[in-house]
Structures are given as structure tokens and as C-alpha cells.
Amino acid sequence: MVIFTQFYFKRLKIESMKILVCISNVPDTTSKINFTEGDTKFDTNGVQFVINPNDEFGLTRAMWFKEKQGATVHVASVGTATTEPTIRKALAIGADEAIRVNAEPTDGFFVAQQLASIAKDGAYDLIIAGRESIDYNGGMVPGILSTLLDMNFVNTCISLEVDGTNATAQREIDGGKETISTTLPLIIGGQKGLVEESDLRIPNMRGIMMARKKQLNVVEPVAADKATMDVKFEKPAAKGAVKLVDADKVDELISLLHNEAKVI
């Protein structure tokens, strides 16, 4: 009986789900955004960077699989050494290991090819990516990644359950929600709703200390194409001054809406 129990736990450990969470390093939404070199380069001076919110929802869901089902969780990011504080935060939240591709993530197709190379080497059962990053909002990476890896894909995912090799996902569609049954290996493009905002985790002191001892592997990028390039950045036009109209001057309000705002 003792021998059987030891074998059972060893087998369970071997067959536990292996998860890769793709992390993007993005500016905090409270940061003031500026551009340099004739509005062709993003100015990072004074900008606070964080885990992309859509990725953070995915990381939190991965941690649930780790705690409830014994999954192993790795995180991967494409970026220079300046992104390591963000990656360390993911380790402090509870990821087991991290991989950083030492390259500037200037193009979604390029990033997807780097992540695909990592995924092939790691033989992951589940890959969780955010549906888009909040800096460029390209929304390309998870879909391209699924094509490169020939894996099942669910985008705009707001719920995910895994039982063995079977998965049930729910995603947002126009006018409602759609529930999908599929199998591992699987890629999802996660977003708000994958977990509750109240479930998002802030690293505690113990997690921060443990993160210092966890493995952060730096790998050089594989040869890959870049399908797009940034030509110029432009800030939204400043909002015009507000005109206040007395409540009893309805004719004046109608005239302004018709002649100036041109909405009626």
C-alpha cells in the first residue's frame, strides 16, 4: 500500500498541467505619455511599467490551476532588461519560472514567433495570453501564436475550466456570451472577467523574497520577420471648451447642437 501511494503521487506530479503565461510590459494607465524624435519614438522617461492588465487576469487564473490542480506555471515575455522588474512581479505572485526573450517587442508578429519558439521547447498544455496589450492594442499575438503552434484557440475568454485534457471556456461575443468545449493543448486570449478584479494578487513580502531565488532565463531571439513598423505617433486632439447654456434657453441649445456640434 505504501509503494502504491508513492507511485500514485509521483505519477500525478508527472501528469500535472504545464501552463505558459505570456506577459507584456506596458505603461501604467496613469502615466503621462509623450513622444520624441519627431513623434516617432515613445518616451519612457518617468513612465511606470506594469504587467499588462489582460495578462494579469490570465496569470491569476493560472495561479488558481496551480493551487487547485497542481499545475506548473511559467511566464514568458519579450523585452530588454528593463522589463525584468515586471517579470519578477509575476514570479512574486507565484509563477514557478520565467523566460525573457532579449529583444525589443516592436511588432506583434515578431513577438508571436518568439513566444512560439519558447512554447515548442516547453511542451505546454495551456498557453494563456491577454487578448491585447493596453499600449498598442494590436490584439494580434494570441491568434498568430495559435496558428504557428497549430493549437486550439479561444479569444476574448472570460471563463476557463480544465478537467484532465478537456477544457470548457466562455468568451464574449456581440450581444452575449458563448460557451465552448475543447481539448488541450489550448491557447486563450484572456481578458477582464477571467477572474474577478478582487482576486488579482499583490505580491507579499514572502513572495518577493522567494522571487529572488526563482529562475529567470534570458534567451536570445530566434530569427523572425517583422510584419509592421511604427511610422509616427499622434496624441488625441485636445477637447474643446465647454459651453454652458441656461436651462430656459432651449432655442440657443438647439442652434448650437445644429450649427456648431452638427449632431442634429
Side-chain angles (χ1 to χ4, degrees):
M1 184 65 179
V2 174
I3 295 174
F4 173 78
T5 303
Q6 290 175 341
F7 173 77
Y8 174 78
F9 280 111
K10 183 178 180 182
R11 181 181 178 187
L12 183 63
K13 184 176 181 181
I14 291 173
E15 295 182 351
S16 63
M17 182 165 52
K18 193 174 180 183
I19 303 174
L20 178 67
V21 181
C22 303
I23 297 293
S24 183
N25 183 61
V26 300
D28 189 292
T29 53
T30 61
S31 298
K32 186 176 181 180
I33 302 302
N34 290 302
F35 305 106
T36 61
E37 299 181 31
D39 292 336
T40 62
K41 301 290 183 182
F42 171 57
D43 185 2
T44 60
N45 290 323
V47 175
Q48 177 69 36
F49 285 85
V50 297
I51 298 174
N52 180 47
N54 287 320
D55 302 339
E56 194 169 5
F57 285 111
L59 176 61
T60 304
R61 190 57 181 161
M63 295 311 304
W64 187 93
F65 287 123
K66 176 181 177 179
E67 293 166 0
K68 303 297 183 182
Q69 300 183 4
T72 299
V73 178
H74 292 177
V75 295
S77 184
V78 180
T80 62
T82 59
T83 65
E84 291 197 2
T86 298
I87 301 172
R88 287 288 180 190
K89 180 182 177 182
L91 291 172
I93 288 172
D96 299 296
E97 188 177 315
I99 305 162
R100 177 176 69 84
V101 179
N102 189 31
E104 192 72 37
T106 54
D107 171 73
F109 187 49
F110 174 80
V111 169
Q113 290 175 92
Q114 304 307 318
L115 294 173
S117 177
I118 291 172
K120 289 175 182 176
D121 292 340
Y124 294 97
D125 304 295
L126 174 64
I127 299 176
I128 301 177
R131 68 164 185 159
E132 63 181 1
S133 60
I134 64 167
D135 48 5
Y136 296 101
N137 299 102
M140 298 185 292
V141 172
I144 296 173
L145 190 56
S146 70
T147 299
L148 294 174
L149 296 173
D150 192 24
M151 291 172 62
N152 295 330
F153 175 49
V154 178
N155 203 16
T156 61
C157 188
I158 56 173
S159 175
L160 178 66
E161 301 289 343
V162 177
D163 182 10
T165 60
N166 297 313
T168 302
Q170 191 175 76
R171 70 187 190 101
E172 284 191 344
I173 58 173
D174 289 340
K177 301 175 182 177
E178 180 182 31
T179 300
I180 300 171
S181 295
T182 184
T183 57
L184 302 182
L186 171 68
I187 297 173
I188 70 164
Q191 63 175 47
K192 181 179 179 180
L194 192 57
V195 298
E196 297 295 330
E197 286 191 71
S198 58
D199 292 331
L200 296 176
R201 305 183 181 197
I202 299 174
N204 55 32
M205 184 56 66
R206 182 172 181 271
I208 293 171
M209 297 302 292
M210 291 180 65
R212 295 178 180 178
K213 300 178 181 179
K214 291 180 179 178
Q215 193 167 355
L216 198 167
N217 302 306
V218 179
V219 299
E220 292 305 311
V222 297
D225 298 325
K226 295 182 180 180
T228 62
M229 63 177 293
D230 297 323
V231 177
K232 189 176 182 180
F233 296 98
E234 183 178 345
K235 289 185 177 182
K239 294 182 179 179
V242 175
K243 289 187 178 181
L244 299 177
V245 179
D246 291 338
D248 58 347
K249 296 182 178 179
V250 178
D251 290 341
E252 182 182 351
L253 175 62
I254 293 174
S255 176
L256 289 170
L257 292 174
H258 180 70
N259 296 315
E260 293 192 20
K262 301 186 184 300
V263 295
I264 61 174

